[in-house]
Amino acid sequence: MSGPTTADDATLSAECTVGQQHGYGNVHDMCRQTKDIPLPYGRGLLLQRRCTCICHRYRKADAS
C-alpha cells in the first residue's frame, strides 16, 4: 500500500517519496521531516524544508 501524496511532490521528503512506491509503504512511516529547519544566521533561509505530505497534518500536535 502506498502512502498519502500531495499535488506538490517537490516538497516531499525522501521517505515519503520512496514510500509511494509499491512495496515500500513502511518507509513512509519513517519520515520525521515535520518542521522547517532554519539555517543558523540565515535570515529566513531554510536548511531543510518540511515535508508537505498530507499524512503530516495529523502529526502537527506531535511536532509542536
Side-chain angles (χ1 to χ4, degrees):
M1 182 174 155
S2 64
T5 62
T6 65
D8 187 12
D9 289 336
T11 58
L12 293 180
S13 68
E15 293 85 359
C16 288
T17 301
V18 172
Q20 292 177 4
Q21 305 301 315
H22 180 69
Y24 291 96
N26 60 335
V27 176
H28 186 266
D29 294 332
M30 295 179 194
C31 180
R32 300 292 182 258
Q33 203 169 316
T34 57
K35 295 191 286 187
D36 287 339
I37 300 173
L39 187 63
Y41 310 107
R43 301 175 196 250
L45 297 175
L46 293 177
L47 179 63
Q48 183 174 23
R49 183 175 294 277
R50 71 177 178 87
C51 178
T52 57
C53 183
I54 61 172
C55 73
H56 298 307
R57 75 175 156 193
Y58 300 112
R59 296 184 190 176
K60 279 186 180 177
D62 297 337
S64 298

